[in-house]
Structure formats: structure tokens, C-alpha cells
Amino acid sequence: MSENTEKTISPEEKSGFSAYDRRVHRWGRISMFLALAAMYLPVIGICLRYGVGINWAGVGAGVLAVWAAFGMNQIIEPFTFAPMLGAGGTYIGFTTGNVSQTKIPCVVSCQEIMGVEMGTREGDIVATLAVGTCSLITTLEVAIGVAFVSIIYPILTSPVLAPGFNNVLPAVMGAMLMQRIMANWKVGIMPFLLGCASAFLFGQAWYNKNGLYIMLVLIAVTIAWAYYLYKKGKIQ
């Protein structure tokens, strides 16, 4: 009789989620709900303490203004950053904020140092630790800045240091861009050239105004281009 060597697939393997993944999502949802509720506690406390009513018309106008300015950004960013941050990093990053300026550079650097690929189990764990550490450090920095604002503010706003601070974000984003392109230049060169071409043809002002929509288009183009290269056997 031939021995049955068929591999038994566990329910976790079928679903694609391990016990670790389920805990990450469970605690991530709980923490984000608590953080969202905590954001309204000061307003609720003031209303209860001083008997102040809420101007719902003003709240609605403010919400609409925020959605008009950042609504598309909040749709695009999760799809853009989640593959880089992993589940745990995404929950922490979008709870603490400032994802593109601090969290993403920290994650990319840590994954590069540890020699892990984003999208893998090891990459997700490194991303979660990197985002958590970055959140603690930035919180400490903000606390120190608030405590010593009268001393720090004149230094940071001095004419000597102003040019450097004005170029911190372009320098960080430029370094990240080249790192990502060199990691897989066959995929990264296409959106880079299209972005440069659109800025050159339509002008910097138009590019800045429509940056979110351009990002959405470039994401779709990158996915299609990567799939084309994969089918042609150019990448694995």
C-alpha cells in the first residue's frame, strides 16, 4: 500500500493569518478605537465642566474643510504605506501620525540595516518595532520641545538654521527615493520618469496642486508595470 504523503493544511495556512496576525489586528483595532475616543475627551470635558454647547454647524463646516483638504490623502496613504509598514506598523503609524515624514524613513532604514524585505513576515516585525520606537522618540522630542519652547524656538527660527530646516524633508524624501529605485530599478524607474516628466511639462505649481491624484495614477502605473515585467520574466 502506498503511503499517503499529502500535506495537511491548517486553517491558519488556508486563511493566510497566523495567531500573531490575529493578535496584531485585534489589539490594533482596540488601540485605534481608544485613541479616537481619547481625542474627543478634552472637548467633552470642557463642555461638561463649563456647560458649553457644541456648535454642530461649525463642526460640520470644519469637518468638510478638512475632508476637502486631506480626504483624498487619507484614502491614498493607507494603500501606499501599508505594504511598507505591515499591519502592526500601520496601526501604530496612523494612530501617532506623521507617517511619511518620520515613520516611513525609519522603517526603510531599519529594514535595510536588518537585511529584510518589506512585505515579508520578518519585514513586518522590523517595521512594527521601527514605528513603535520612532513614535516613542518623537513623543519624547515633542515633550521636550513643549517644556523648553522658549529656549528652543529662537534657535530653530534663526536665519542661520532656517535654510537647513526648510530642506530637511526634500533631503529625506530624495534619499528614500534613490534607495527604493536602486533596490529594484527596473520597476522604480518608470514612475520616477513619469513623475519628472509631468512636473516638467505642466509646471511645479500644477504638480504640487494635484500631487495626490498624481500619486494615485503613479501607483496604478507602477503595479501595471511591475506585473508586465513579471510576466516577461524580467523580475521575480
Side-chain angles (χ1 to χ4, degrees), residues 83 86 111 116-126:
Q111 289 177 336
V116 296
E117 296 290 335
M118 64 177 60
T120 62
R121 176 57 56 81
E122 294 80 6
D124 288 353
I125 294 174
V126 170

Side-chain angles (χ1 to χ4, degrees), residues 75-219:
I75 296 174
I76 295 174
E77 279 195 354
F79 289 99
T80 307
F81 297 145
M84 305 173 68
L85 298 173
T90 299
Y91 284 120
I92 301 173
F94 281 93
T95 299
T96 56
N98 206 14
V99 178
S100 59
Q101 287 81 7
T102 59
K103 305 303 189 300
I104 293 297
C106 183
V107 168
V108 172
S109 298
C110 290
Q111 289 177 336
E112 183 75 17
I113 292 171
M114 297 301 296
V116 296
E117 296 290 335
M118 64 177 60
T120 62
R121 176 57 56 81
E122 294 80 6
D124 288 353
I125 294 174
V126 170
T128 302
L129 295 173
V131 174
T133 304
C134 181
S135 300
L136 293 174
I137 296 299
T138 51
T139 302
L140 179 61
E141 290 175 348
V142 171
I144 295 175
V146 172
F148 301 98
V149 62
S150 60
I151 301 174
I152 298 176
Y153 184 76
I155 298 175
L156 297 180
T157 56
S158 66
V160 177
L161 297 179
F165 285 110
N166 292 336
N167 290 281
V168 168
L169 185 58
V172 172
M173 293 296 126
M176 286 178 54
L177 172 65
M178 293 308 300
Q179 187 180 36
R180 289 295 93 198
I181 292 178
M182 295 306 296
N184 195 332
W185 68 270
K186 292 180 181 179
V187 176
I189 196 65
M190 176 61 73
F192 173 72
L193 292 178
L194 289 178
C196 292
S198 61
F200 179 77
L201 292 175
F202 300 103
Q204 188 66 35
W206 177 90
Y207 190 90
N208 293 337
K209 181 180 179 180
N210 300 279
L212 292 177
Y213 302 99
I214 296 172
M215 182 187 298
L216 186 62
V217 173
L218 291 180
I219 290 172

